[in-house]
Amino acid sequence: MASTSRASAHASSRASLLDLAPVVPVVVLQDASDAVPLARALVAGGLPAIEVTLRTPVALDAIRAIAGEVPDAVVGAGTVITPEQVKESVAAGARFLVSPGWTDVLLEAMRGSGVPFLPGVSTTSEVVALLERGVTEMKFFPAEAAGGTAYLKSLAGPLPQARFCPTGGIGPGNAPEYLALPNVGCVGGTWMLPADAIAARDWGRVEALAREAAHLRLRPQV
């Protein structure tokens, strides 16, 4: 098991972030001491790509701890909205960056970071603008509020070169519908990280939920 996940982690430098696993856990941590056991549980469950959002004061410490102590994890920073956060995240050990939206200034900072990045989009014009700038992999956010699977399906025809990681309002019930789309590589979600399990430090439950998420499979497009 460890050798398989380690191979997946090493492959991140060659393969697309969107292809590491069907689900990228979106982690919001209040206590940095939870970072390592949480990451180990997610990796053991088959979800090596872990997005730690920069929404709390301990986020960078959490990224640093995971990067240093969980070698099979591919830890990244989420909610990146400034060039300074780009620098701080990479310095802490983030191996990818995710933003809820983008500007040219932020995009250039992420492009210069040396790690993969997913700029956030919610409109066709934003997708076209990123394609003009040579970016083909994006975060679709907030997925459900911005049109969900129907919106993404409508983009696949005219903009087949764009691939997405939808995040926002996605759970085990609707994730397979997203993963069935030809322009969706993976989805982001939090359902494998229930608040009561985190509070109780029930890492076994987190691992079990992660394993269920990791076994989501693409369905043939009908």
Coordinates of all heavy atoms in Angstrom, one line a residue, residues 14-75:
R14 N 5.1 14.6 -12.7 CA 5.0 14.3 -14.1 C 3.6 14.3 -14.6 O 3.3 14.8 -15.7 CB 5.6 12.9 -14.4 CG 7.1 12.7 -14.0 CD 7.6 11.4 -14.5 NE 6.9 10.3 -14.0 CZ 7.0 9.7 -12.9 NH1 8.0 10.1 -12.0 NH2 6.3 8.6 -12.5
A15 N 2.7 13.7 -13.8 CA 1.3 13.6 -14.2 C 0.5 14.8 -13.7 O 1.0 15.6 -12.9 CB 0.7 12.3 -13.6
S16 N -0.7 15.0 -14.3 CA -1.5 16.1 -13.9 C -2.1 15.9 -12.5 O -2.4 14.8 -12.1 CB -2.7 16.2 -14.9 OG -3.7 17.0 -14.4
L17 N -2.2 17.0 -11.8 CA -2.8 17.0 -10.5 C -4.2 16.4 -10.5 O -4.7 15.7 -9.6 CB -2.8 18.4 -9.9 CG -3.6 18.6 -8.6 CD1 -2.9 17.8 -7.5 CD2 -3.7 20.1 -8.3
L18 N -4.9 16.7 -11.7 CA -6.3 16.2 -11.8 C -6.4 14.7 -11.9 O -7.5 14.2 -11.8 CB -6.9 16.9 -13.0 CG -6.9 18.4 -13.1 CD1 -7.7 18.8 -14.3 CD2 -7.6 19.0 -11.8
D19 N -5.3 14.0 -12.1 CA -5.3 12.6 -12.3 C -4.8 11.8 -11.2 O -4.7 10.5 -11.2 CB -4.5 12.2 -13.6 CG -5.1 12.8 -14.8 OD1 -6.3 12.9 -14.9 OD2 -4.3 13.2 -15.7
L20 N -4.4 12.4 -10.1 CA -3.9 11.7 -8.9 C -4.9 10.8 -8.2 O -4.6 9.7 -7.7 CB -3.2 12.7 -7.9 CG -1.9 13.3 -8.3 CD1 -1.4 14.2 -7.2 CD2 -0.9 12.2 -8.6
A21 N -6.1 11.4 -8.1 CA -7.2 10.7 -7.4 C -8.5 11.3 -7.8 O -8.5 12.5 -8.3 CB -7.0 10.7 -5.9
P22 N -9.6 10.6 -7.7 CA -10.9 11.2 -8.1 C -11.3 12.3 -7.2 O -12.2 13.2 -7.6 CB -11.9 10.0 -8.0 CG -11.3 9.0 -7.1 CD -9.8 9.2 -7.3
V23 N -10.8 12.4 -6.0 CA -11.2 13.4 -5.0 C -10.0 14.1 -4.4 O -9.1 13.4 -4.0 CB -12.2 12.8 -3.9 CG1 -12.6 13.9 -3.0 CG2 -13.4 12.2 -4.6
V24 N -10.0 15.4 -4.3 CA -9.0 16.1 -3.5 C -9.7 16.6 -2.3 O -10.6 17.5 -2.3 CB -8.5 17.3 -4.3 CG1 -7.5 18.1 -3.5 CG2 -7.8 16.8 -5.6
P25 N -9.3 16.1 -1.1 CA -9.9 16.6 0.1 C -9.5 18.1 0.4 O -8.4 18.5 0.2 CB -9.3 15.8 1.2 CG -8.7 14.6 0.5 CD -8.4 15.0 -0.9
V26 N -10.5 18.9 0.7 CA -10.3 20.3 1.0 C -10.3 20.5 2.5 O -11.3 20.3 3.2 CB -11.4 21.2 0.4 CG1 -11.2 22.7 0.7 CG2 -11.4 21.0 -1.2
V27 N -9.1 20.7 3.1 CA -8.9 20.7 4.5 C -8.9 22.1 5.1 O -8.1 22.9 4.7 CB -7.6 19.9 4.8 CG1 -7.4 19.9 6.3 CG2 -7.7 18.5 4.2
V28 N -9.7 22.3 6.2 CA -9.6 23.5 6.9 C -9.2 23.1 8.4 O -10.0 22.5 9.1 CB -10.9 24.3 6.9 CG1 -10.8 25.6 7.7 CG2 -11.4 24.6 5.5
L29 N -8.0 23.5 8.8 CA -7.5 23.1 10.1 C -7.5 24.2 11.1 O -7.0 25.3 10.8 CB -6.1 22.5 10.0 CG -6.0 21.0 9.4 CD1 -4.6 20.7 9.1 CD2 -6.7 20.0 10.3
Q30 N -7.9 23.9 12.3 CA -7.9 24.9 13.4 C -6.7 24.6 14.3 O -6.3 25.5 15.1 CB -9.2 24.8 14.2 CG -10.4 25.1 13.4 CD -10.5 26.4 12.8 OE1 -9.9 27.4 13.3 NE2 -11.2 26.6 11.7
D31 N -6.2 23.4 14.3 CA -5.1 23.0 15.1 C -4.0 22.3 14.3 O -4.3 21.2 13.7 CB -5.6 22.0 16.2 CG -4.6 21.7 17.3 OD1 -3.4 21.8 17.0 OD2 -5.0 21.2 18.4
A32 N -2.8 22.9 14.2 CA -1.8 22.3 13.4 C -1.3 20.9 13.8 O -0.8 20.1 13.0 CB -0.6 23.3 13.4
S33 N -1.6 20.6 15.1 CA -1.2 19.2 15.5 C -2.0 18.1 14.9 O -1.7 16.9 14.9 CB -1.3 19.1 17.1 OG -2.6 19.2 17.5
D34 N -3.2 18.5 14.3 CA -4.0 17.5 13.6 C -3.5 17.2 12.2 O -4.0 16.3 11.6 CB -5.5 18.0 13.6 CG -6.1 18.1 14.9 OD1 -5.7 17.3 15.8 OD2 -7.1 18.9 15.1
A35 N -2.6 18.0 11.7 CA -2.3 18.0 10.3 C -1.7 16.6 9.9 O -2.1 16.0 8.9 CB -1.3 19.1 9.9
V36 N -0.7 16.2 10.6 CA 0.0 14.9 10.2 C -0.9 13.7 10.4 O -1.0 12.9 9.4 CB 1.3 14.8 11.0 CG1 1.9 13.4 10.9 CG2 2.3 15.8 10.6
P37 N -1.6 13.5 11.5 CA -2.5 12.3 11.6 C -3.6 12.4 10.6 O -4.0 11.3 10.0 CB -3.0 12.3 13.0 CG -2.7 13.7 13.5 CD -1.6 14.2 12.8
L38 N -4.1 13.5 10.3 CA -5.2 13.7 9.3 C -4.7 13.3 7.9 O -5.3 12.6 7.2 CB -5.7 15.1 9.3 CG -6.8 15.5 8.2 CD1 -8.0 14.6 8.5 CD2 -7.1 16.9 8.3
A39 N -3.5 13.8 7.6 CA -2.9 13.5 6.2 C -2.6 12.1 6.1 O -2.9 11.5 5.0 CB -1.7 14.4 6.0
R40 N -2.1 11.4 7.2 CA -1.8 10.0 7.1 C -3.1 9.2 6.9 O -3.1 8.2 6.1 CB -1.1 9.6 8.4 CG 0.3 10.0 8.5 CD 1.0 9.7 9.8 NE 2.4 10.0 9.8 CZ 3.1 10.3 10.9 NH1 2.5 10.2 12.1 NH2 4.4 10.6 10.8
A41 N -4.2 9.6 7.5 CA -5.5 8.9 7.3 C -6.0 9.1 5.9 O -6.4 8.1 5.3 CB -6.5 9.5 8.3
L42 N -5.8 10.2 5.3 CA -6.3 10.5 4.0 C -5.5 9.7 3.0 O -6.0 9.0 2.1 CB -6.2 12.0 3.6 CG -7.2 12.9 4.3 CD1 -6.9 14.3 4.1 CD2 -8.7 12.5 3.9
V43 N -4.1 9.7 3.2 CA -3.3 8.9 2.3 C -3.5 7.4 2.4 O -3.6 6.7 1.4 CB -1.8 9.2 2.6 CG1 -0.9 8.2 1.8 CG2 -1.5 10.6 2.2
A44 N -3.7 6.9 3.6 CA -4.0 5.5 3.8 C -5.3 5.1 3.2 O -5.5 4.0 2.7 CB -4.1 5.2 5.3
G45 N -6.3 6.1 3.1 CA -7.5 5.8 2.4 C -7.5 5.9 0.9 O -8.5 5.7 0.3
G46 N -6.3 6.4 0.4 CA -6.2 6.4 -1.1 C -6.3 7.8 -1.7 O -6.5 7.9 -2.9
L47 N -6.3 8.8 -0.8 CA -6.4 10.2 -1.4 C -5.1 11.0 -1.1 O -4.9 11.6 0.0 CB -7.6 11.0 -0.7 CG -8.9 10.3 -0.9 CD1 -10.0 11.2 -0.2 CD2 -9.3 10.2 -2.4
P48 N -4.1 10.9 -2.0 CA -2.8 11.5 -1.7 C -2.7 13.0 -1.9 O -1.9 13.6 -1.2 CB -1.9 10.8 -2.7 CG -2.8 10.4 -3.8 CD -4.1 10.1 -3.2
A49 N -3.5 13.5 -2.8 CA -3.5 15.0 -3.0 C -4.4 15.7 -1.9 O -5.6 15.4 -1.9 CB -4.0 15.3 -4.4
I50 N -3.8 16.5 -1.1 CA -4.5 17.2 0.0 C -4.4 18.7 -0.1 O -3.3 19.2 -0.1 CB -3.9 16.7 1.3 CG1 -4.0 15.1 1.4 CG2 -4.6 17.3 2.5 CD1 -3.3 14.5 2.6
E51 N -5.5 19.3 -0.2 CA -5.5 20.8 -0.3 C -5.8 21.4 1.1 O -6.9 21.2 1.6 CB -6.6 21.3 -1.3 CG -6.7 22.8 -1.3 CD -7.9 23.3 -2.2 OE1 -8.4 22.5 -3.0 OE2 -8.4 24.4 -2.0
V52 N -4.8 22.0 1.7 CA -5.0 22.7 2.9 C -5.3 24.2 2.7 O -4.4 24.9 2.1 CB -3.7 22.6 3.8 CG1 -3.9 23.4 5.1 CG2 -3.4 21.1 4.1
T53 N -6.4 24.7 3.0 CA -6.8 26.0 2.7 C -6.2 27.0 3.6 O -6.0 26.8 4.8 CB -8.3 26.2 2.7 OG1 -8.8 26.1 4.1 CG2 -9.0 25.1 1.9
L54 N -5.8 28.2 3.1 CA -5.2 29.2 3.9 C -6.3 30.1 4.5 O -6.3 31.3 4.5 CB -4.3 30.1 3.0 CG -3.2 29.4 2.2 CD1 -2.4 30.4 1.4 CD2 -2.3 28.6 3.2
R55 N -7.2 29.4 5.2 CA -8.3 30.2 5.8 C -8.1 30.3 7.3 O -8.9 31.0 8.0 CB -9.7 29.4 5.6 CG -10.0 29.2 4.1 CD -11.4 28.5 4.0 NE -11.6 28.1 2.7 CZ -12.7 27.4 2.3 NH1 -13.6 27.0 3.2 NH2 -12.8 27.0 1.0
T56 N -7.1 29.6 7.9 CA -6.9 29.7 9.3 C -5.4 30.1 9.5 O -4.5 29.8 8.7 CB -7.2 28.4 10.0 OG1 -6.2 27.4 9.5 CG2 -8.6 27.9 9.7
P57 N -5.1 30.6 10.7 CA -3.7 31.0 11.0 C -2.7 29.9 11.0 O -1.5 30.1 10.9 CB -3.8 31.7 12.4 CG -5.3 32.0 12.5 CD -6.0 31.0 11.8
V58 N -3.2 28.6 11.2 CA -2.3 27.5 11.3 C -2.0 26.8 10.0 O -1.3 25.8 9.9 CB -2.8 26.5 12.3 CG1 -3.1 27.1 13.7 CG2 -4.0 25.7 11.8
A59 N -2.6 27.3 8.9 CA -2.5 26.6 7.6 C -1.1 26.3 7.1 O -0.8 25.2 6.7 CB -3.3 27.4 6.5
L60 N -0.3 27.4 7.2 CA 1.1 27.2 6.7 C 1.9 26.2 7.5 O 2.7 25.4 7.0 CB 1.8 28.5 6.6 CG 1.3 29.5 5.5 CD1 2.0 30.9 5.6 CD2 1.6 28.9 4.1
D61 N 1.7 26.3 8.8 CA 2.3 25.3 9.7 C 1.8 23.9 9.4 O 2.6 22.9 9.5 CB 2.0 25.6 11.2 CG 2.7 26.9 11.7 OD1 3.8 27.2 11.1 OD2 2.3 27.5 12.6
A62 N 0.5 23.7 9.1 CA 0.0 22.4 8.7 C 0.6 21.9 7.5 O 1.0 20.7 7.4 CB -1.5 22.5 8.6
I63 N 0.8 22.8 6.5 CA 1.4 22.4 5.2 C 2.8 22.0 5.4 O 3.3 20.9 4.9 CB 1.3 23.5 4.2 CG1 -0.1 23.8 3.7 CG2 2.2 23.2 3.0 CD1 -0.3 25.0 2.9
R64 N 3.5 22.7 6.3 CA 4.9 22.4 6.6 C 5.1 21.1 7.3 O 6.0 20.3 6.9 CB 5.5 23.6 7.5 CG 7.0 23.5 7.6 CD 7.5 24.8 8.4 NE 7.3 26.0 7.6 CZ 6.4 26.9 7.9 NH1 5.6 26.8 8.9 NH2 6.3 28.0 7.1
A65 N 4.2 20.8 8.2 CA 4.2 19.5 8.9 C 3.9 18.4 8.0 O 4.6 17.3 8.0 CB 3.2 19.6 10.1
I66 N 2.9 18.5 7.1 CA 2.6 17.4 6.2 C 3.7 17.1 5.3 O 4.1 16.0 5.0 CB 1.3 17.7 5.5 CG1 0.1 17.8 6.5 CG2 1.0 16.7 4.4 CD1 -1.2 18.3 5.9
A67 N 4.2 18.2 4.7 CA 5.3 18.1 3.7 C 6.6 17.4 4.4 O 7.3 16.6 3.7 CB 5.7 19.5 3.2
G68 N 6.8 17.7 5.6 CA 8.0 17.1 6.3 C 7.8 15.7 6.9 O 8.8 15.0 7.0
E69 N 6.6 15.4 7.2 CA 6.4 14.1 7.9 C 5.5 13.1 7.2 O 5.4 11.9 7.7 CB 5.8 14.4 9.3 CG 6.6 15.3 10.2 CD 6.0 15.5 11.6 OE1 5.6 14.5 12.2 OE2 6.0 16.7 12.0
V70 N 4.9 13.5 6.1 CA 4.0 12.5 5.4 C 4.5 12.5 3.9 O 3.9 13.1 3.1 CB 2.5 12.9 5.5 CG1 1.6 11.7 5.0 CG2 2.1 13.2 6.9
P71 N 5.5 11.7 3.7 CA 6.1 11.8 2.3 C 5.2 11.3 1.2 O 5.4 11.6 0.0 CB 7.4 10.9 2.5 CG 7.1 10.0 3.6 CD 6.3 10.9 4.6
D72 N 4.2 10.4 1.6 CA 3.3 9.9 0.5 C 2.2 10.9 0.2 O 1.5 10.7 -0.8 CB 2.7 8.6 1.0 CG 3.8 7.5 1.0 OD1 4.8 7.6 0.3 OD2 3.5 6.5 1.7
A73 N 2.1 12.0 0.9 CA 1.1 13.0 0.6 C 1.6 14.0 -0.4 O 2.8 14.3 -0.4 CB 0.7 13.7 1.9
V74 N 0.7 14.4 -1.2 CA 1.0 15.5 -2.2 C 0.2 16.7 -1.6 O -1.0 16.9 -1.9 CB 0.6 15.2 -3.6 CG1 0.9 16.4 -4.5 CG2 1.3 13.9 -4.1
V75 N 0.8 17.5 -0.8 CA 0.1 18.6 -0.1 C 0.2 19.9 -0.9 O 1.2 20.2 -1.4 CB 0.6 18.8 1.4 CG1 2.1 19.2 1.4 CG2 -0.2 19.7 2.2

